[in-house]
Amino acid sequence: MEFQLQSALLFNEVKYVTTLEGLQNIENALKGKANIAFAYVRAIGTPEHRAIMEAAFVYGTTYQFVLTTEIALLGSVGTEDVEYAHLYFFHCKPVVDWTQQCRRTVMEQPLTTLNIYRYIKSMEAPLLTEVAEDPQQVSTVHLQLGLPLVFIVSQEATYEADRRTAEWIAWRLLGKAGVLLLLRDSLEVDIPQQANVVFKREEGMPVEYLVLHDIDLVISHVENNMYTEEIREDEDDDIEGPDMDTLGIQDDEVAETVYRDRKRQLPLELTVELTEETFYGTVTASDSIVLFYAGWQAVSMAFLQSYIDLAIKLKGTSTMLLARVNCADWSDVCTKQNITEFPVVKMYKEGENPVSYAGMLGTEDLLKFIQLNRISCPVTITSVQEAEEYLCGELYKDLISYSSVSVLGLFSPTMTTAKEDFTEAGKYLKGCVITGIYSEGDVSILSNKYTATLPALLLARHKEDKVESIPLANTHAQDIIQIVTNSLLETFPEITVENLPTYLRLQKPLLILFSDGGINPQYKKAILTLIKKKHLDSLIPCWLNLKNTPVGRGILQAYFDALPPLPVLVVVNLHSGGQVFAFPSDQVITEQNLLLWLKKLEAGLESSITILPAQEWKPPLPAYNFLRMMDAAASQHSSKKGPECTKDTDVQEKDKEQHEDKSATRKEPTETLRIKHWNRSNVFKAEKSFRHDNKEL
């Protein structure tokens, strides 16, 4: 749910543009107010696109993120290489002249989460830092980001020219290195007299003293000495080697799966792609199942594969139309359909309100939802004979494989309120279970046969070939829903990855029998007997087949440190304390032994074999601590709301004051000049003066 909420948030925050005019409108609106992160990706849903959206989730309150997939638009921005994804940083906040274009800095590294983080952090760092200390001791955020430092050596006689040159170099190296102006006259350490550039590759390494008389030589030296730790996403497709398997590993397992399956060609033609023009006409003309998804979101793309698998299963056998809407392309359609998370499946039938699917995101569960929606719920039963056929599974035998329980409500013709409550519950349970209602004058025949007091609920369990009755006197719709939902749970289920969440919601300790295959009939009989006698009501008795659910081996190793001999019976208290208790391995699982052991547990006479820790899910690296970054960004955003609303005249006045302050600062004694930051807005004003042909240092 948290990730789906994030997806919905980004869906509204990131602006998508397709034309140069649209990009220019955003740029003009943000001049003097905020900077822009403009990204081009080849397609929605690629790893590069996901990396951009994750960055937007963290920095969306600080920068305006703009996205495009149009190659022509990227070409108009200024790059000739449109083969790969690109990220540009538009420096619009310092711009005070509306006619002036925002300066643009391109990120040259591949678009990965970590590279984007480094890039944005380098954009936030001071453009130029003035220092008067040993370069070996200087450390800035650039070194922490893995970027080198370039010191332009200056002296008092040439200070102004050196500063302009250093600023020009800083713009050329923005995002690649940190640039500092080193005041030779104020240094307490000696540097070679001829050296005019100092290069520091990383923290702890000796600095290099260089003699470079051309700006391009400085740029080339930096670029030739930068570490290239990563390769482009597409270049790894044809590379083989032992380390290549780790390239697709991501912090999100769903995203990793989507990435590894990215070359799988899905037969999308089996479903109808809907647009704003075709949506309403389609869902009103035929019964339809519609998948609302976001092409850039990993969960959506993973579920799209299951949805296509469903289309393959139903091909030629169903009258239900399977359609899909990519909300990244048709946001208006999704907004009008109240789509606030992804993915969402809705069923549209003529004359009925849309029904949302709330089950597991898998092919089989969605297939069950569709098949059980073929009939109205509750279905009206009109005779005792039809009711008997319904209860024995003959009436809807083609649906029994999807609903192991059939529910029949029995009411006398005058029980209007009770019938309304049952009907409401039946509509809510539509797609989950088959429900029927019988309220004819001869209802007493059924109530007498099944010992039911009207109003009553009959639960026909087809696997066990039995019918049980539950009285419904003074029972409301929500109570009926809960009764039916609980009845769908097996008394001694096999735990799987898919059904585990359902049983965990009961908030009870688990009594799990781990086996390497089927269950010993003697053990099963002992447990079922205790269930029948109500001795296990405080627990969830279940079993786990390691052949069907291999993850169970890892679970057992967490409990016992090493895989114990099977079968093994344990009680796991996940919801309170995390204790794990093991049934004695030297005892046979019988009704008497198991009951005695459970009584000892209840009396506190048994010791746990382990206690599961309440671990926090922390980011693997500080660079992935996006929540902390979001809090910091939000705090800065709140504190800057006032100045961002300042009129252009006020901005100009403030820039003028800052310029005067810097002039005054230069006159301070040199011993107080330790570290000073130059404001980028001043550089924008003087940019034209920097563009001189003289590249001599």
Side-chain angles (χ1 to χ4, degrees), residues 411-459:
F411 307 92
S412 68
T414 59
M415 295 178 175
T416 306
T417 303
K419 286 191 290 184
E420 289 176 351
D421 285 333
F422 182 80
T423 301
E424 182 182 344
K427 290 180 179 178
Y428 181 88
L429 294 166
K430 188 176 183 180
C432 299
V433 66
I434 301 174
T435 60
I437 184 170
Y438 187 72
S439 62
E440 300 297 325
D442 56 356
V443 68
S444 59
I445 298 175
L446 293 172
S447 64
N448 292 334
K449 179 178 179 179
Y450 296 104
T451 319
T453 303
L454 300 181
L457 199 67
L458 297 184
L459 299 175

Side-chain angles (χ1 to χ4, degrees), residues 12-15 26 30 34-38 59-66:
N12 294 318
E13 290 295 330
V14 178
K15 296 185 181 298
I26 296 174
L30 293 177
N35 296 320
I36 299 173
F38 169 67
Y59 295 103
T61 57
T62 306
Y63 309 108
Q64 175 62 63
F65 279 75
V66 181

Side-chain angles (χ1 to χ4, degrees), residues 52-114:
I52 290 293
M53 302 306 285
E54 288 179 342
F57 186 58
V58 177
Y59 295 103
T61 57
T62 306
Y63 309 108
Q64 175 62 63
F65 279 75
V66 181
L67 182 70
T68 189
T69 55
E70 300 295 329
I71 292 180
L73 179 55
L74 181 66
S76 66
V77 172
T79 181
E80 297 179 358
D81 182 9
V82 295
E83 184 179 356
Y84 300 110
H86 289 273
L87 177 64
Y88 283 87
F89 194 88
F90 287 23
H91 304 269
C92 294
K93 192 170 184 178
V95 176
V96 294
D97 183 358
W98 191 82
T99 62
Q100 180 183 359
Q101 186 183 65
C102 300
R103 186 158 190 163
R104 301 166 181 179
T105 304
V106 65
M107 172 179 160
E108 297 184 359
Q109 292 78 22
L111 263 63
T112 65
T113 301
L114 191 55

Side-chain angles (χ1 to χ4, degrees), residues 129-333:
T129 302
E130 185 177 315
V131 296
E133 57 184 286
D134 184 0
Q136 193 69 52
Q137 306 301 320
V138 174
S139 179
T140 71
V141 68
H142 301 88
L143 293 178
Q144 300 171 19
L145 297 173
L147 303 177
L149 295 181
V150 178
F151 298 82
I152 306 301
V153 181
S154 176
Q155 51 193 359
E156 188 173 359
T158 58
Y159 172 80
E160 293 297 335
D162 293 338
R163 192 188 75 193
R164 288 195 297 271
T165 301
E167 289 170 339
W168 179 235
I169 293 174
W171 278 112
R172 293 278 302 274
L173 292 178
L174 188 58
K176 302 177 183 178
V179 179
L180 304 94
L181 189 64
L182 181 63
L183 304 177
R184 183 195 294 267
D185 299 335
S186 303
L187 285 176
E188 298 178 358
V189 296
D190 294 331
I191 61 174
Q193 189 62 35
Q194 298 301 318
N196 60 352
V197 176
V198 181
F199 184 73
K200 186 173 184 177
R201 186 193 299 269
E202 62 182 63
E203 200 80 64
M205 287 188 64
V207 298
E208 299 178 50
Y209 296 98
L210 308 171
V211 180
L212 300 173
H213 294 293
D214 188 280
I215 288 179
D216 287 340
L217 291 178
V218 178
I219 305 299
S220 298
H221 183 83
V222 173
E223 292 178 343
N224 293 336
N225 284 274
M226 288 181 64
Y227 292 118
T228 55
E229 300 174 350
E230 302 181 59
I231 63 176
R232 296 187 186 275
E233 298 284 357
D234 284 6
E235 292 178 352
D236 71 342
D237 291 344
D238 302 323
I239 300 177
E240 296 181 359
D243 297 331
M244 292 302 105
D245 290 340
T246 62
L247 288 178
I249 296 178
Q250 303 191 37
D251 57 311
D252 186 306
E253 292 181 0
V254 177
E256 180 180 335
T257 302
V258 172
Y259 175 79
R260 292 190 181 279
D261 290 343
R262 66 193 182 281
K263 292 185 178 180
R264 177 184 173 187
Q265 296 295 324
L266 297 176
L268 296 176
E269 66 277 2
L270 294 178
T271 62
V272 179
E273 183 177 11
L274 300 181
T275 66
E276 189 172 8
E277 291 76 22
T278 62
F279 178 84
Y280 296 101
T282 301
V283 298
T284 55
S286 60
D287 293 345
S288 308
I289 285 283
V290 181
L291 167 64
F292 298 90
Y293 69 102
W296 51 262
Q297 189 214 28
V299 177
S300 288
M301 299 309 294
F303 184 55
L304 180 60
Q305 297 182 8
S306 299
Y307 193 67
I308 297 301
D309 290 341
L310 173 68
I312 294 173
K313 283 179 175 286
L314 293 177
K315 185 178 180 181
T317 63
S318 175
T319 58
M320 186 74 66
L321 176 70
L322 267 67
R324 52 190 167 86
V325 177
N326 188 346
C327 294
D329 297 330
W330 307 104
S331 58
D332 288 347
V333 174

